Amino acid sequence: MKKTSRNNRGKVITNNKNIWIIIFILMVIFGLIYSQIYDQKLDMNGDNFNYLLLSKNILGGHGYSTFSVDGTYKPAGWFPPGYPYILATTQFFLGDSVNGLKKLNGLFFLLSIILFFFITKKFSKNHLFAFSISVLLALNSGLLRFSTIVMSEIPYLFFVLLTIYSLLKVDEQSEETPFWKSRWFYLTAISSIISFYIRGFGITLILALTLHWLISKKWKLSIAYLLTNFLLYLPYFIRNKVYGIKGRYAKMIFVDNPWRPESGGINTVSEFWDKIITNTNDIIVYGFPKVIFPSIDVSEPTFILTLFGIAIICLTLVGIWSVKKYRYFLGSFLIFNVGILLLWHTGNGVRYVWPLVGFIIFASFYGLYIIISKLLNQKNQQLTIKYFALGFLLLGFFHIPSIKKIKSQAQMELHPAYENYFKIAKTLKKEGKDYLVVCRKPALFSYYSHSRTSGYRYTLDDKELIQQLIDINADYVVLERLGYSSTPRYLIPAIQRNHNLFKSVIHLKEPDTYLLWFDKEKAKNQ
């Protein structure tokens, strides 16, 4: 008995050593790659500038608010408040450093990789399998890119994984231990509501986890968990009701293309069905392979790519079903996410699939392992997980082209169109006057100019666009060459047809970028 006990103790010590070695290797892999692909520039998408501005307003004592066109701070509601508050908290303690915020996302990604390893080890019951797919997650160029920019995808991923890890710890506890005495229960509830506060998709995690405990017949636990999340969300819900802020997600279900308002909404069953089919292809059939192997080109889908996508879907379903105790949790989590994505408007590609990439990698590769091991195990008893782990690690070479691409992107200089755009913004900042500037990507311009900004109305009717400028009392209009189709489609025609209302104040070349003064009085009398 003593000898057996010693042997078991020795195995535990060895396993713990192996785990720490694996974590160290994952940290080294991440560190080496992250140092190569880290981009000190701010990403030029508008959302990360909006997050920075929201954080600035919180630190300025204005609460969760936006600086509106009339010069007042109004309660914000377009983005969930979680990530702006994470940014504000970080800046409060570490100072106003954008690079600090970007590296915070890098830390979130590293911690996500480590959590992913522990979770997949629990699901697969194998260190090597969990290690190999954790390496693939660390090499994923899509997530690596998000980990270097000020966006919410990586923090959301971290809190989702922290919730799942905490869930596993709750389920490991003895049934005799009351859940309200478990710190893991509270961590599960807090991390899941944080994920919801970061991205609305967090509701899928809360619902899937509640369903998991209901199916497990842990009635009190599931009700307590759901009630805790409700109570933690209630203050924000009341706040939005008081200010009359409504969610934007429901509106998007019947929107065809938000960047083309003139295309109208979705009004018939056939139009709605066409949207579902388009999203199914973009998000699932071609989207799942794209997020697993970012180097794949899905811009021109082929028959082979379609078959590959369908195969990934089938493997994912097999993998989910094979995690017996958690098959309904993982399955409902996938269904809820996919359901929302299918109802969303078209044109997003795989943008909203990236936070699911770890889930898809695990489920599809585990499904592949289950199928092949069952087919070959009867003929070859020497088949082991080691060969699978090695094979999965070799797939990491497919990530090299996409990693090189984001490394090159990080080393690039800012595009001249953006340089001109920001030069104009900084010129207005130096003047120190209270201007209202209408432009494409108003958050970017506001960040560098400290001016009030507004986008222009997406309308083919030039009179309607000019009326908007009058209504908001615009001072300037920026005519840029950032590459967005809305500028030549809406703004340029309106300026050309009403050229007498605009006067060039600044003209920068290569490419031509203008700051135009808008004659409000003449426009009113025209």
Side-chain angles (χ1 to χ4, degrees):
M1 290 294 291
K2 289 183 178 178
K3 194 171 184 180
T4 303
S5 178
R6 286 175 185 170
N7 288 338
N8 290 338
R9 196 180 309 122
K11 288 181 180 179
V12 170
I13 293 172
T14 301
N15 286 337
N16 287 338
K17 285 183 178 179
N18 290 339
I19 289 172
W20 284 112
I21 290 171
I22 286 173
I23 291 173
F24 176 74
I25 293 172
L26 290 173
M27 292 174 68
V28 170
I29 292 172
F30 171 79
L32 290 174
I33 296 174
Y34 194 74
S35 63
Q36 294 295 310
I37 59 93
Y38 181 74
D39 191 349
Q40 295 194 18
K41 303 185 300 295
L42 273 169
D43 191 71
M44 291 299 106
N45 79 81
D47 286 356
N48 68 160
F49 283 91
N50 277 308
Y51 284 129
L52 289 169
L53 292 172
L54 289 167
S55 173
K56 176 184 174 183
N57 295 341
I58 293 170
L59 288 172
H62 305 290
Y64 185 54
S65 62
T66 56
F67 189 47
S68 64
V69 294
D70 62 7
T72 61
Y73 290 91
K74 295 184 178 179
W78 186 260
F79 295 99
Y83 189 48
Y85 272 100
I86 290 174
L87 297 180
T89 303
T90 305
Q91 289 180 307
F92 179 80
F93 287 106
L94 302 181
D96 189 17
S97 169
V98 173
N99 275 319
L101 300 177
K102 290 155 73 73
K103 289 175 182 177
L104 174 66
N105 268 5
L107 177 61
F108 274 132
F109 187 36
L110 174 59
L111 295 174
S112 297
I113 295 167
I114 294 171
L115 284 172
F116 183 71
F117 166 74
F118 282 110
I119 292 168
T120 53
K121 179 176 73 72
K122 175 70 175 179
F123 285 159
S124 65
K125 298 180 175 60
N126 191 279
H127 294 77
L128 287 174
F129 176 83
F131 169 68
S132 63
I133 61 172
S134 296
V135 170
L136 293 181
L137 188 73
L139 295 176
N140 188 280
S141 62
L143 294 181
L144 282 168
R145 177 60 186 169
F146 277 117
S147 71
T148 69
I149 62 179
V150 187
M151 291 288 283
S152 64
E153 277 78 0
I154 298 299
Y156 173 74
L157 172 65
F158 168 75
F159 282 103
V160 167
L161 291 174
L162 181 60
T163 302
I164 297 174
Y165 180 76
S166 302
L167 158 67
L168 298 178
K169 290 296 184 180
V170 172
D171 285 351
E172 284 177 2
Q173 292 179 153
S174 170
E175 293 185 4
E176 296 177 0
T177 304
F179 67 84
W180 62 83
K181 291 185 178 181
S182 169
R183 67 180 186 274
W184 293 112
F185 167 75
Y186 296 106
L187 183 57
T188 304
I190 292 170
S191 56
S192 62
I193 197 62
I194 291 176
S195 73
F196 182 50
Y197 271 124
I198 293 175
R199 295 176 73 86
F201 279 91
I203 189 64
T204 62
L205 179 65
I206 295 171
L207 293 176
L209 209 157
T210 303
L211 183 62
H212 163 71
W213 277 328
L214 283 174
I215 291 175
S216 302
K217 297 182 179 179
K218 297 179 179 180
W219 318 113
K220 292 181 181 179
L221 181 58
S222 61
I223 294 171
Y225 168 74
L226 189 61
L227 183 61
T228 303
N229 275 275
F230 173 75
L231 292 175
L232 291 172
Y233 178 68
L234 188 59
Y236 187 66
F237 176 80
I238 294 173
R239 175 255 191 194
N240 287 348
K241 284 293 183 181
V242 169
Y243 291 117
I245 298 173
K246 297 180 180 180
R248 61 190 172 106
Y249 296 102
K251 297 178 183 177
M252 290 297 176
I253 293 177
F254 296 101
V255 170
D256 178 36
N257 186 339
W259 300 283
R260 292 284 186 274
E262 66 273 11
S263 65
I266 295 175
N267 302 309
T268 65
V269 174
S270 64
E271 289 176 344
F272 190 80
W273 179 248
D274 289 342
K275 182 187 77 165
I276 297 296
I277 296 299
T278 300
N279 281 340
T280 299
N281 289 325
D282 291 348
I283 294 166
I284 304 174
V285 178
Y286 309 128
F288 280 19
K290 177 65 177 178
V291 295
I292 297 177
F293 301 107
S295 297
I296 293 177
D297 181 14
V298 297
S299 58
E300 296 182 4
T302 62
F303 178 70
I304 298 298
L305 179 60
T306 302
L307 288 180
F308 184 53
I310 293 173
I312 293 292
I313 295 168
C314 294
L315 291 174
T316 300
L317 296 176
V318 171
I320 291 171
W321 191 253
S322 300
V323 186
K324 296 179 181 178
K325 185 177 179 180
Y326 295 96
R327 59 174 54 150
Y328 296 113
F329 167 70
L330 296 175
S332 59
F333 182 61
L334 175 66
I335 291 170
F336 294 153
N337 273 279
V338 168
I340 293 175
L341 290 172
L342 293 183
L343 293 175
W344 202 241
H345 63 76
T346 59
N348 290 300
V350 298
R351 177 183 177 185
Y352 297 110
V353 188
W354 287 113
L356 294 174
V357 62
F359 170 86
I360 299 168
I361 287 175
F362 164 73
S364 59
F365 281 73
Y366 191 56
L368 179 63
Y369 164 67
I370 292 296
I371 291 174
I372 294 180
S373 61
K374 285 187 176 181
L375 289 174
L376 300 182
N377 241 0
Q378 297 174 353
K379 300 177 182 179
N380 183 4
Q381 296 295 332
Q382 295 180 353
L383 181 68
T384 66
I385 189 65
K386 294 180 181 179
Y387 299 111
F388 283 97
L390 178 61
F392 294 155
L393 284 174
L394 291 175
L395 291 175
F397 287 104
F398 287 97
H399 288 282
I400 292 177
S402 56
I403 291 175
K404 286 182 176 179
K405 184 178 178 180
I406 59 172
K407 179 182 178 181
S408 175
Q409 186 178 355
Q411 295 170 343
M412 286 181 182
E413 297 292 330
L414 194 63
H415 192 280
Y418 282 98
E419 286 186 354
N420 286 351
Y421 188 72
F422 294 141
K423 281 179 183 177
I424 292 176
K426 291 172 183 177
T427 299
L428 289 184
K429 180 183 176 182
K430 289 178 182 178
E431 292 187 14
K433 295 182 180 179
D434 183 26
Y435 295 122
L436 174 57
V437 183
V438 174
C439 54
R440 187 67 168 87
K441 292 292 180 182
L444 278 69
F445 198 87
S446 178
Y447 183 80
Y448 286 102
S449 68
H450 292 188
S451 301
R452 292 176 292 130
T453 57
S454 172
Y456 48 83
R457 186 165 294 163
Y458 287 9
T459 174
L460 297 173
D461 185 344
D462 64 289
K463 300 303 179 186
E464 190 177 342
L465 193 150
I466 295 297
Q467 187 59 50
Q468 179 217 4
L469 302 184
I470 297 171
D471 292 341
I472 64 175
N473 204 29
D475 297 300
Y476 290 105
V477 174
V478 178
L479 182 57
E480 34 65 35
R481 293 292 187 273
L482 300 181
Y484 294 99
S485 61
S486 61
T487 300
R489 185 177 181 84
Y490 304 119
L491 184 60
I492 291 179
I495 293 173
Q496 289 174 336
R497 293 168 191 161
N498 301 271
H499 59 86
N500 60 312
L501 302 180
F502 299 91
K503 179 183 177 182
S504 178
V505 177
I506 298 177
H507 176 202
L508 302 179
K509 296 184 178 181
E510 296 182 354
D512 290 323
T513 308
Y514 299 87
L515 178 67
L516 303 174
W517 174 69
F518 176 61
D519 191 336
K520 297 184 283 287
E521 296 305 319
K522 184 183 286 188
K524 291 175 183 176
N525 298 323
Q526 180 171 283

